[in-house]
Amino acid sequence: GNRNNAIAQLQSLAEAYPSHAPVLSAVVSQLFTADRPNEALVYLRRLSQLKSHRASAATREYEYLVSLPIDSSNRERWRDFVDTYGDLEVGVQGREELVRFDAKLNDPVWQGGRQGVQWVENGKGAEAVQQLQAAVTAYPDDVEFAGALGIAYLRAGDRALALHYFEQAKAKEPRIDRTYRWVSLIGSTR
């Protein structure tokens, strides 16, 4: 209940001991937990300047970046990551992720799927169905496309198809802490 005070104290310690890896790691962890990722990344980069912690800091940043949505601002984050850590194994993985990122940003089917998700969020699910069907076919692992298509079908009254896409989204959800939304939609649809 006093997280912000604890974070401030840890940040003070990090300033007093700028090369103390456990303190820097604690600040990073607390900032990520407090949903303050931009601040966490600053400390993570400081941690990466310590030679013995460079690889672990890069891996932590990679794990954060893969959780971000695909858009042009996050593409720049990947570019910076690759430029900073290109010499590490995780930097090679980052380069591969950047290639996938660019492929999606330049794919009209993926862009149509993103537009379909926006339409569903704006209450225009009927207009989104065709684009979302194409996106789910092209990107079957994208939980946002499957989930949005489920919502569009649910709003159209087709509970069976909605349930199918909610279950698909739940099965493909990469983060356990985000499955609650699909579980909730599955339960209410049934």
Side-chain angles (χ1 to χ4, degrees), residues 41-61:
L41 291 171
V42 170
Y43 286 94
L44 201 52
R45 288 293 175 100
R46 284 179 49 187
L47 184 63
S48 77
Q49 292 172 358
L50 304 175
K51 188 175 182 177
S52 62
H53 296 279
R54 180 171 161 75
S56 63
T59 299
R60 183 80 185 267
E61 186 170 341

Side-chain angles (χ1 to χ4, degrees), residues 9-22:
Q9 289 180 13
L10 283 169
Q11 287 173 315
S12 293
L13 284 171
E15 296 309 314
Y17 304 99
S19 61
H20 194 279

Side-chain angles (χ1 to χ4, degrees), residues 2-15 22-47 60 64 77 175:
N2 209 358
R3 178 175 306 237
N4 288 334
N5 187 30
I7 290 172
Q9 289 180 13
L10 283 169
Q11 287 173 315
S12 293
L13 284 171
E15 296 309 314
V23 170
L24 291 171
S25 293
V27 172
V28 168
S29 293
Q30 290 303 315
L31 287 170
F32 273 129
T33 301
D35 198 26
R36 294 164 52 184
N38 291 333
E39 292 175 77
L41 291 171
V42 170
Y43 286 94
L44 201 52
R45 288 293 175 100
R46 284 179 49 187
L47 184 63
R60 183 80 185 267
Y64 168 69
R77 289 178 186 241
R175 290 184 51 182

Side-chain angles (χ1 to χ4, degrees), residues 64-148:
Y64 168 69
L65 292 176
V66 296
S67 72
L68 298 176
I70 297 173
D71 61 31
S72 57
S73 65
N74 291 331
R75 190 232 181 260
E76 292 310 310
R77 289 178 186 241
W78 277 110
R79 167 74 10 229
D80 180 56
F81 178 85
V82 168
D83 290 345
T84 303
Y85 301 114
D87 60 319
L88 299 176
E89 183 178 328
V90 74
V92 172
Q93 293 171 327
R95 195 173 297 109
E96 292 167 358
E97 197 62 36
L98 180 59
V99 168
R100 280 191 288 277
F101 224 76
D102 285 342
K104 287 180 178 179
L105 284 174
N106 295 319
D107 181 0
V109 173
W110 190 86
Q111 290 291 349
R114 294 303 315 150
Q115 183 180 37
V117 169
Q118 286 293 357
W119 283 349
V120 167
E121 289 173 0
N122 294 331
K124 300 177 182 177
E127 292 95 335
V129 169
Q130 186 177 1
Q131 287 179 301
L132 287 170
Q133 285 173 332
V136 167
T137 300
Y139 298 98
D141 292 334
D142 191 305
V143 297
E144 295 303 319
F145 294 159

